Amino acid sequence: MLAYALKRLGVALLVALTVSIIAFSMVYLPGDPAMALAPESATEADIEHIRKVYGFDRSMVVQYLDWLFHAVQGDFGQSHYLNEPVANVIFDRLPTTMLLGACAITFALLLSIPLGVIAAIRPNSLIDRIALTIAVVGQAMPSFWFALTMMLWFGITWRLLPITGTDSWKHFVMPAIALGYYVTPGVMRLTRAGMLEVLASDYIRTARAKGLRPVRVLFKHALRNAILPVVSLAAVQFGFMLGGSVVIETIFAINGLGFLAWESITRADLPMMQAIVLVLSVFYIVLTLLADLLNAFLDPRIRVT
Amino acid sequence: MTKQILEIENLCVDIDVPSGVLRAVQNISFTVAKGETLSIVGESGCGKSITALSLMNLLPKSAKRSADKLTLDGRDLRDLNEREMSDLRGDAMAMIFQEPMTSLNPAYTIGNQLEEAMLRHRNVSTAEARDRAVFLLEKVGITAARSRLGQYPHQLSGGLRQRVMIAMSLMCEPALILADEPTTALDVTIQAQILHLLAELRHEFDSSLILITHDLGIVARVADRVAVMYAGEFVETGTTEQVFNAPSHPYTQGLLRCIPIPGKTKRGAHLGAIPGIVPNLVGRIEGCHFASRCPYADDACRTGDVALRPSFEKSHEYRCVLSPEICAANLKSGAAA
């Protein structure tokens, strides 16, 4: 188990390093960063000055190493737009996004796993059909439209929930549902397919031949095996939610990381963009690592050799 | 007279399939006495596994079971609900499956899976169940049994896993063990060991055993009585001696001709084979089920049902229109040819 964990950790570090190179290089994608920062009236001398001040005149390797050296210490430089350390802004916004993501994934898993299990126990039943409908609608409907529809009904028509802001738990209900609903179909279908396959397996027949009660067969023998791929998917989706909540955060005016990313792009705030990409990627990598470790914990074929 | 553990009369299993009703098992009747080994022999798809699963009530949902009599140790199994049935499974009757590689749950240790079989039916502590598991693992020839309890199925070979399955079936000392092709998936050398083990344990625990197989060599070694199954029906039943020494039904005769006998069968000589394929069991088959492949079939075979009839001895029955004398003559001429 320890060897496996160390191996996964090594891979994760390599991936993080690769991502940091990509995140850093992004700045140079649109062309000369000094040119992009300079106002239109700037002279050649002004641009040269900007280049010096921001250190763009050094070689890319030196700039990258310098940036990385500070980044691992939590220093992502100064925001070009806000005149504040990038790290402060990010860690100010991060908790909101994390909370939203956690609520959304919890909602998604609580809805999709039970539905997937029930659909697998009674394939082609009414519940299976309803679950399938939910999945198809969830997959087909754009999340911004779903969010706006909810706002219209629950926020404006019935006045049950606040439509913008982050002041209370009530403010998180609609954004979490809107964000989580998008993940539901995949997790539900994967749970259903996994359960169907496992329930038809020989070891489930063995469990029944032992006289075990259906609940025990289902939860001890079937779900444990069917849930393995779901763990990996849920981790990836959670990572995706943290980075991909731009639309939802914008609609509900939630001051999270997604919203900040979108703002920074429109402001050409390069250090901020680099930092956000790196932070979100590292979260993604950590989540994948945790999913791998959880899978190893659940599946002895990975853990014990 | 020995006590009958299992008594079955006119057991039928019908399975709904898209093209109609598949009559997988048709009116089979048999009894198994205490400590006796009955072997059900037949080729793939003849209904022998379905017979075993129907006794355990583990049939797929599309299958329907009916019987005029179905008792285990005097208890009628027909009107038990699923809950009462699950009380019997693993306790009064246990089953060993064909595929040891996939019959154990990969997520749990074998100790956990063995103990569970006993904890479900007996009011014992985990420690007591563990002791029983160790005792049985030793019985089935697994060394260092106690340390094996913490191992996972994927760490064991196929032969070891089947030994674990056998130990699992014995956890509650069942009156009846159903073994569905327990050696088919194993290497030939391991097959012999597992069979020997089954026969030995059956004696030791005085359980009755139904051994389902397509391998006649296995039958000859361990069975007390044999039922030859073909296309959902028993075509011949009797003691192992009767069926092997004087096979009456043309199908049984054909099966036995397929086995090479070292020293007797000439090297390079053609082995016997039964031409044709098993008939489709969807819908009703008119007349004898074997008629389409039988070398002796005539028009009389293809109309009306053929009933089981006694051969020279009363305990030896077969399902054919031909008299015992003609069957015996066929056996001789067939062997000569």
Side-chain angles (χ1 to χ4, degrees):
Chain A
M1 178 70 184
L2 189 67
Y4 175 78
L6 287 176
K7 206 172 119 194
R8 299 310 304 168
L9 188 66
V11 172
L13 284 175
L14 282 177
V15 174
L17 197 67
T18 313
V19 166
S20 75
I21 293 173
I22 295 170
F24 175 79
S25 319
M26 263 190 354
V27 173
Y28 285 91
L29 281 181
D32 186 349
M35 204 90 115
L37 283 172
E40 272 174 43
S41 57
T43 62
E44 196 56 43
D46 294 336
I47 293 173
E48 194 55 43
H49 180 68
I50 291 171
R51 205 168 272 147
K52 274 239 162 59
V53 169
Y54 288 103
F56 294 139
D57 53 342
R58 296 169 300 167
S59 84
M60 268 194 47
V61 178
V62 173
Q63 285 185 59
Y64 167 69
L65 290 176
D66 183 44
W67 175 75
L68 187 67
F69 179 74
H70 288 100
V72 293
Q73 298 173 56
D75 173 13
F76 295 100
Q78 200 74 7
S79 163
H80 291 175
Y81 185 86
L82 296 169
N83 266 325
E84 233 187 298
V86 168
N88 288 6
V89 182
I90 287 183
F91 291 108
D92 196 35
R93 305 281 190 100
L94 192 59
T96 312
T97 295
M98 295 277 279
L99 182 63
L100 177 61
C103 291
I105 194 80
T106 308
F107 164 76
L109 295 181
L110 285 181
L111 180 68
S112 56
I113 291 178
L115 271 180
V117 169
I118 295 170
I121 300 170
R122 301 247 178 282
N124 303 319
S125 67
L126 184 66
I127 293 176
D128 188 19
R129 300 286 157 97
I130 292 171
L132 180 66
T133 309
I134 292 174
V136 171
V137 171
Q139 213 118 57
M141 194 164 52
S143 56
F144 74 87
W145 188 79
F146 180 56
L148 289 173
T149 310
M150 273 202 300
M151 279 171 120
L152 198 62
W153 288 352
F154 296 100
I156 296 166
T157 309
W158 297 323
R159 299 198 167 274
L160 291 172
L161 293 164
I163 52 174
T164 57
T166 50
D167 300 331
S168 73
W169 64 268
K170 280 187 180 174
H171 289 85
F172 281 93
V173 174
M174 283 200 287
I177 291 174
L179 193 57
Y181 186 40
Y182 184 74
V183 174
T184 306
V187 176
M188 187 169 72
R189 298 308 281 176
L190 194 64
T191 307
R192 181 185 183 272
M195 280 301 273
L196 274 179
E197 192 188 322
V198 168
L199 285 174
S201 69
D202 288 344
Y203 57 82
I204 293 302
R205 191 180 54 188
T206 306
R208 295 183 62 210
K210 278 194 253 184
L212 299 182
R213 299 258 186 249
V215 172
R216 200 168 167 79
V217 172
L218 201 63
F219 289 102
K220 179 179 173 185
H221 287 274
L223 195 57
R224 169 89 173 251
N225 287 288
I227 210 76
L228 295 172
V230 176
V231 169
S232 307
L233 179 71
V236 170
Q237 293 285 16
F238 186 39
F240 179 79
M241 277 177 180
L242 294 180
S245 58
V246 180
V247 175
I248 298 297
E249 288 188 4
T250 312
I251 291 176
F252 290 99
I254 292 170
N255 234 345
L257 212 52
F259 195 43
L260 180 65
W262 182 73
E263 282 177 323
S264 304
I265 292 167
T266 58
R267 296 166 185 159
D269 194 345
L270 299 177
M272 192 70 89
M273 284 158 62
Q274 285 176 325
I276 292 173
V277 169
L278 187 67
V279 167
L280 287 178
S281 306
V282 168
F283 267 112
Y284 206 93
I285 292 163
V286 169
L287 284 169
T288 313
L289 180 66
L290 287 178
D292 281 346
L293 296 180
L294 183 58
N295 262 338
F297 172 73
L298 289 170
D299 187 351
R301 282 167 296 183
I302 301 174
R303 172 162 37 99
V304 188
T305 47
Chain B
M1 169 142 183
T2 44
K3 190 176 152 205
Q4 299 297 337
I5 290 294
L6 184 70
E7 292 177 277
I8 295 177
E9 269 170 37
N10 292 325
L11 176 73
C12 295
V13 178
D14 292 340
I15 304 174
D16 285 325
V17 292
S19 54
V21 176
L22 192 152
R23 303 178 70 216
V25 176
Q26 301 175 23
N27 294 309
I28 65 172
S29 305
F30 61 93
T31 59
V32 182
K34 186 162 177 56
E36 186 181 42
T37 299
L38 169 74
S39 187
I40 301 178
V41 199
E43 56 195 292
S44 305
C46 72
K48 50 195 197 302
S49 292
I50 293 286
T51 304
L53 288 173
S54 78
L55 298 182
M56 296 286 283
N57 208 7
L58 287 176
L59 289 169
K61 281 203 186 85
S62 56
K64 274 196 300 287
R65 178 186 77 183
S66 68
D68 291 339
K69 185 175 187 184
L70 182 55
T71 60
L72 179 72
D73 221 352
R75 193 165 176 198
D76 196 337
L77 299 185
R78 286 176 306 170
D79 34 56
L80 295 185
N81 62 30
E82 174 53 29
R83 198 181 172 84
E84 292 164 327
M85 199 59 215
S86 74
D87 287 339
L88 292 182
R89 282 201 294 264
D91 188 0
M93 62 205 302
M95 191 157 174
I96 302 164
F97 297 99
Q98 181 174 349
E99 281 295 336
M101 300 310 280
T102 52
S103 290
L104 290 164
N105 193 328
Y108 297 98
T109 61
I110 62 163
N112 181 318
Q113 295 184 63
L114 282 165
E115 288 154 22
E116 181 183 53
M118 190 172 193
L119 292 170
R120 162 68 178 85
H121 298 288
R122 298 276 186 276
N123 193 13
V124 294
S125 68
T126 312
E128 287 169 293
R130 190 173 306 136
D131 289 342
R132 172 81 179 162
V134 171
F135 169 76
L136 285 173
L137 285 182
E138 280 165 359
K139 278 279 167 223
V140 298
I142 292 181
T143 52
R146 197 163 283 274
S147 67
R148 296 276 187 188
L149 291 181
Q151 289 194 308
Y152 289 93
H154 73 274
Q155 296 171 287
L156 307 178
S157 67
L160 277 180
R161 288 190 215 187
Q162 196 61 301
R163 284 171 197 265
V164 171
M165 286 298 291
I166 293 171
M168 193 183 285
S169 74
L170 293 168
M171 283 301 281
C172 295
E173 291 196 44
L176 176 69
I177 300 171
L178 298 156
D180 185 5
E181 308 232 12
T183 59
T184 305
L186 302 174
D187 292 345
V188 180
T189 46
I190 311 291
Q191 282 187 6
Q193 294 173 10
I194 295 286
L195 273 179
H196 184 71
L197 179 68
L198 266 179
E200 202 175 276
L201 290 172
R202 206 233 339 127
H203 277 295
E204 185 166 342
F205 292 93
D206 205 22
S207 294
S208 305
L209 176 66
I210 296 180
L211 180 67
I212 291 168
T213 181
H214 62 257
D215 187 339
L216 288 163
I218 290 175
V219 178
R221 270 187 282 172
V222 297
D224 299 315
R225 284 194 303 129
V226 183
V228 181
M229 200 164 180
Y230 183 80
E233 290 183 330
F234 280 178
V235 293
E236 184 157 358
T237 61
T239 64
T240 308
E241 233 162 58
Q242 287 164 344
V243 173
F244 275 78
N245 291 344
S248 299
H249 195 278
Y251 178 64
T252 318
Q253 294 179 356
L255 276 185
L256 287 169
R257 218 168 282 143
C258 298
I259 308 174
I261 303 160
K264 252 185 166 179
T265 309
K266 271 197 202 114
R267 190 170 289 274
H270 278 285
L271 289 176
I274 304 173
I277 53 162
V278 186
N280 184 354
L281 291 178
V282 176
R284 223 187 106 74
I285 299 171
E286 187 68 31
C288 172
H289 291 190
F290 190 59
S292 61
R293 298 170 77 184
C294 180
Y296 313 111
D298 58 23
D299 290 344
C301 302
R302 295 189 175 90
T303 50
D305 285 333
V306 183
L308 278 170
R309 62 192 282 181
S311 185
F312 295 111
E313 288 164 86
K314 199 171 158 282
S315 59
H316 182 193
E317 288 189 304
Y318 67 105
R319 191 185 292 274
C320 187
V321 295
L322 302 175
S323 69
E325 290 77 14
I326 296 175
C327 287
N330 284 343
L331 179 65
K332 272 197 186 140
S333 62

mmCIF file of all heavy atoms in Angstrom, chain A residues 145-161 163 174:
data_model
loop_
_atom_site.group_PDB
_atom_site.id
_atom_site.type_symbol
_atom_site.label_atom_id
_atom_site.label_comp_id
_atom_site.label_asym_id
_atom_site.label_seq_id
_atom_site.Cartn_x
_atom_site.Cartn_y
_atom_site.Cartn_z
ATOM 1 N N TRP A 145 -28.882 27.890 -18.328
ATOM 2 C CA TRP A 145 -30.321 27.970 -18.545
ATOM 3 C C TRP A 145 -31.089 27.367 -17.365
ATOM 4 O O TRP A 145 -32.066 27.911 -16.876
ATOM 5 C CB TRP A 145 -30.694 27.244 -19.847
ATOM 6 C CG TRP A 145 -32.112 27.453 -20.236
ATOM 7 C CD1 TRP A 145 -32.635 28.565 -20.843
ATOM 8 C CD2 TRP A 145 -33.206 26.568 -20.006
ATOM 9 N NE1 TRP A 145 -33.980 28.410 -21.021
ATOM 10 C CE2 TRP A 145 -34.363 27.208 -20.518
ATOM 11 C CE3 TRP A 145 -33.321 25.304 -19.421
ATOM 12 C CZ2 TRP A 145 -35.611 26.605 -20.454
ATOM 13 C CZ3 TRP A 145 -34.558 24.713 -19.370
ATOM 14 C CH2 TRP A 145 -35.702 25.368 -19.883
ATOM 15 N N PHE A 146 -30.565 26.238 -16.877
ATOM 16 C CA PHE A 146 -31.156 25.584 -15.712
ATOM 17 C C PHE A 146 -31.102 26.533 -14.518
ATOM 18 O O PHE A 146 -32.084 26.686 -13.771
ATOM 19 C CB PHE A 146 -30.402 24.286 -15.424
ATOM 20 C CG PHE A 146 -30.925 23.516 -14.240
ATOM 21 C CD1 PHE A 146 -32.264 23.126 -14.178
ATOM 22 C CD2 PHE A 146 -30.081 23.182 -13.183
ATOM 23 C CE1 PHE A 146 -32.739 22.406 -13.093
ATOM 24 C CE2 PHE A 146 -30.558 22.468 -12.095
ATOM 25 C CZ PHE A 146 -31.887 22.088 -12.056
ATOM 26 N N ALA A 147 -29.946 27.222 -14.358
ATOM 27 C CA ALA A 147 -29.774 28.157 -13.244
ATOM 28 C C ALA A 147 -30.773 29.312 -13.348
ATOM 29 O O ALA A 147 -31.429 29.682 -12.363
ATOM 30 C CB ALA A 147 -28.342 28.688 -13.224
ATOM 31 N N LEU A 148 -30.905 29.841 -14.546
ATOM 32 C CA LEU A 148 -31.822 30.974 -14.736
ATOM 33 C C LEU A 148 -33.272 30.563 -14.491
ATOM 34 O O LEU A 148 -34.049 31.301 -13.880
ATOM 35 C CB LEU A 148 -31.671 31.530 -16.155
ATOM 36 C CG LEU A 148 -30.354 32.271 -16.425
ATOM 37 C CD1 LEU A 148 -30.224 32.632 -17.887
ATOM 38 C CD2 LEU A 148 -30.251 33.514 -15.550
ATOM 39 N N THR A 149 -33.636 29.359 -14.935
ATOM 40 C CA THR A 149 -34.995 28.854 -14.723
ATOM 41 C C THR A 149 -35.283 28.744 -13.228
ATOM 42 O O THR A 149 -36.340 29.150 -12.740
ATOM 43 C CB THR A 149 -35.166 27.478 -15.385
ATOM 44 O OG1 THR A 149 -34.694 27.568 -16.713
ATOM 45 C CG2 THR A 149 -36.614 27.041 -15.376
ATOM 46 N N MET A 150 -34.309 28.179 -12.501
ATOM 47 C CA MET A 150 -34.484 28.046 -11.051
ATOM 48 C C MET A 150 -34.648 29.405 -10.389
ATOM 49 O O MET A 150 -35.501 29.591 -9.520
ATOM 50 C CB MET A 150 -33.277 27.317 -10.441
ATOM 51 C CG MET A 150 -33.402 25.819 -10.448
ATOM 52 S SD MET A 150 -32.355 25.041 -9.211
ATOM 53 C CE MET A 150 -30.752 25.562 -9.716
ATOM 54 N N MET A 151 -33.781 30.357 -10.804
ATOM 55 C CA MET A 151 -33.867 31.717 -10.243
ATOM 56 C C MET A 151 -35.252 32.292 -10.454
ATOM 57 O O MET A 151 -35.846 32.897 -9.553
ATOM 58 C CB MET A 151 -32.849 32.634 -10.932
ATOM 59 C CG MET A 151 -31.456 32.520 -10.409
ATOM 60 S SD MET A 151 -30.396 33.453 -11.514
ATOM 61 C CE MET A 151 -29.723 34.637 -10.389
ATOM 62 N N LEU A 152 -35.762 32.089 -11.655
ATOM 63 C CA LEU A 152 -37.062 32.640 -12.019
ATOM 64 C C LEU A 152 -38.165 32.069 -11.131
ATOM 65 O O LEU A 152 -38.973 32.808 -10.577
ATOM 66 C CB LEU A 152 -37.331 32.320 -13.494
ATOM 67 C CG LEU A 152 -38.412 33.143 -14.177
ATOM 68 C CD1 LEU A 152 -38.023 34.624 -14.196
ATOM 69 C CD2 LEU A 152 -38.623 32.651 -15.603
ATOM 70 N N TRP A 153 -38.164 30.736 -10.963
ATOM 71 C CA TRP A 153 -39.222 30.105 -10.176
ATOM 72 C C TRP A 153 -39.035 30.286 -8.677
ATOM 73 O O TRP A 153 -39.864 30.838 -7.979
ATOM 74 C CB TRP A 153 -39.313 28.610 -10.506
ATOM 75 C CG TRP A 153 -39.898 28.351 -11.870
ATOM 76 C CD1 TRP A 153 -40.453 29.273 -12.701
ATOM 77 C CD2 TRP A 153 -39.966 27.096 -12.546
ATOM 78 N NE1 TRP A 153 -40.862 28.682 -13.854
ATOM 79 C CE2 TRP A 153 -40.595 27.332 -13.801
ATOM 80 C CE3 TRP A 153 -39.589 25.786 -12.227
ATOM 81 C CZ2 TRP A 153 -40.827 26.326 -14.710
ATOM 82 C CZ3 TRP A 153 -39.838 24.785 -13.136
ATOM 83 C CH2 TRP A 153 -40.437 25.049 -14.366
ATOM 84 N N PHE A 154 -37.906 29.782 -8.185
ATOM 85 C CA PHE A 154 -37.717 29.752 -6.726
ATOM 86 C C PHE A 154 -37.356 31.124 -6.164
ATOM 87 O O PHE A 154 -37.637 31.413 -5.016
ATOM 88 C CB PHE A 154 -36.630 28.733 -6.354
ATOM 89 C CG PHE A 154 -37.002 27.324 -6.704
ATOM 90 C CD1 PHE A 154 -36.518 26.733 -7.846
ATOM 91 C CD2 PHE A 154 -37.875 26.607 -5.894
ATOM 92 C CE1 PHE A 154 -36.863 25.435 -8.184
ATOM 93 C CE2 PHE A 154 -38.233 25.313 -6.215
ATOM 94 C CZ PHE A 154 -37.738 24.725 -7.367
ATOM 95 N N GLY A 155 -36.722 31.952 -6.989
ATOM 96 C CA GLY A 155 -36.274 33.248 -6.490
ATOM 97 C C GLY A 155 -37.301 34.342 -6.691
ATOM 98 O O GLY A 155 -37.574 35.132 -5.780
ATOM 99 N N ILE A 156 -37.873 34.368 -7.900
ATOM 100 C CA ILE A 156 -38.728 35.507 -8.219
ATOM 101 C C ILE A 156 -40.211 35.171 -8.093
ATOM 102 O O ILE A 156 -40.950 35.847 -7.390
ATOM 103 C CB ILE A 156 -38.385 36.042 -9.633
ATOM 104 C CG1 ILE A 156 -36.945 36.567 -9.606
ATOM 105 C CG2 ILE A 156 -39.366 37.135 -10.058
ATOM 106 C CD1 ILE A 156 -36.337 36.824 -10.931
ATOM 107 N N THR A 157 -40.662 34.065 -8.721
ATOM 108 C CA THR A 157 -42.087 33.740 -8.676
ATOM 109 C C THR A 157 -42.538 33.380 -7.262
ATOM 110 O O THR A 157 -43.494 33.933 -6.734
ATOM 111 C CB THR A 157 -42.400 32.574 -9.627
ATOM 112 O OG1 THR A 157 -41.849 32.881 -10.900
ATOM 113 C CG2 THR A 157 -43.903 32.368 -9.756
ATOM 114 N N TRP A 158 -41.798 32.422 -6.634
ATOM 115 C CA TRP A 158 -42.242 31.944 -5.311
ATOM 116 C C TRP A 158 -41.486 32.596 -4.159
ATOM 117 O O TRP A 158 -41.844 32.396 -3.006
ATOM 118 C CB TRP A 158 -42.112 30.415 -5.238
ATOM 119 C CG TRP A 158 -42.994 29.724 -6.244
ATOM 120 C CD1 TRP A 158 -44.252 30.109 -6.626
ATOM 121 C CD2 TRP A 158 -42.682 28.564 -7.008
ATOM 122 N NE1 TRP A 158 -44.742 29.263 -7.573
ATOM 123 C CE2 TRP A 158 -43.804 28.294 -7.832
ATOM 124 C CE3 TRP A 158 -41.578 27.715 -7.077
ATOM 125 C CZ2 TRP A 158 -43.848 27.222 -8.714
ATOM 126 C CZ3 TRP A 158 -41.614 26.643 -7.945
ATOM 127 C CH2 TRP A 158 -42.742 26.406 -8.767
ATOM 128 N N ARG A 159 -40.422 33.292 -4.457
ATOM 129 C CA ARG A 159 -39.633 33.989 -3.446
ATOM 130 C C ARG A 159 -39.202 33.083 -2.282
ATOM 131 O O ARG A 159 -39.279 33.451 -1.110
ATOM 132 C CB ARG A 159 -40.415 35.189 -2.898
ATOM 133 C CG ARG A 159 -40.748 36.192 -3.978
ATOM 134 C CD ARG A 159 -41.124 37.554 -3.423
ATOM 135 N NE ARG A 159 -41.130 38.556 -4.480
ATOM 136 C CZ ARG A 159 -40.044 39.221 -4.868
ATOM 137 N NH1 ARG A 159 -38.891 39.014 -4.275
ATOM 138 N NH2 ARG A 159 -40.118 40.111 -5.844
ATOM 139 N N LEU A 160 -38.752 31.899 -2.629
ATOM 140 C CA LEU A 160 -38.322 30.943 -1.601
ATOM 141 C C LEU A 160 -36.842 31.103 -1.252
ATOM 142 O O LEU A 160 -36.439 30.902 -0.120
ATOM 143 C CB LEU A 160 -38.557 29.505 -2.080
ATOM 144 C CG LEU A 160 -40.012 29.068 -2.192
ATOM 145 C CD1 LEU A 160 -40.102 27.704 -2.857
ATOM 146 C CD2 LEU A 160 -40.649 29.017 -0.817
ATOM 147 N N LEU A 161 -36.042 31.446 -2.262
ATOM 148 C CA LEU A 161 -34.593 31.480 -2.050
ATOM 149 C C LEU A 161 -34.015 32.776 -2.610
ATOM 150 O O LEU A 161 -34.517 33.300 -3.606
ATOM 151 C CB LEU A 161 -33.942 30.287 -2.773
ATOM 152 C CG LEU A 161 -34.273 28.899 -2.212
ATOM 153 C CD1 LEU A 161 -33.899 27.827 -3.215
ATOM 154 C CD2 LEU A 161 -33.561 28.666 -0.890
ATOM 155 N N ILE A 163 -31.532 35.090 -4.737
ATOM 156 C CA ILE A 163 -30.973 34.753 -6.041
ATOM 157 C C ILE A 163 -29.508 35.126 -6.218
ATOM 158 O O ILE A 163 -28.842 34.566 -7.072
ATOM 159 C CB ILE A 163 -31.814 35.357 -7.199
ATOM 160 C CG1 ILE A 163 -32.017 36.849 -6.993
ATOM 161 C CG2 ILE A 163 -33.142 34.638 -7.344
ATOM 162 C CD1 ILE A 163 -32.709 37.493 -8.173
ATOM 163 N N MET A 174 -29.413 27.068 -4.591
ATOM 164 C CA MET A 174 -29.595 27.040 -6.047
ATOM 165 C C MET A 174 -28.282 26.874 -6.810
ATOM 166 O O MET A 174 -28.212 26.051 -7.717
ATOM 167 C CB MET A 174 -30.361 28.273 -6.505
ATOM 168 C CG MET A 174 -31.843 28.149 -6.217
ATOM 169 S SD MET A 174 -32.828 29.255 -7.224
ATOM 170 C CE MET A 174 -32.453 30.819 -6.472
#
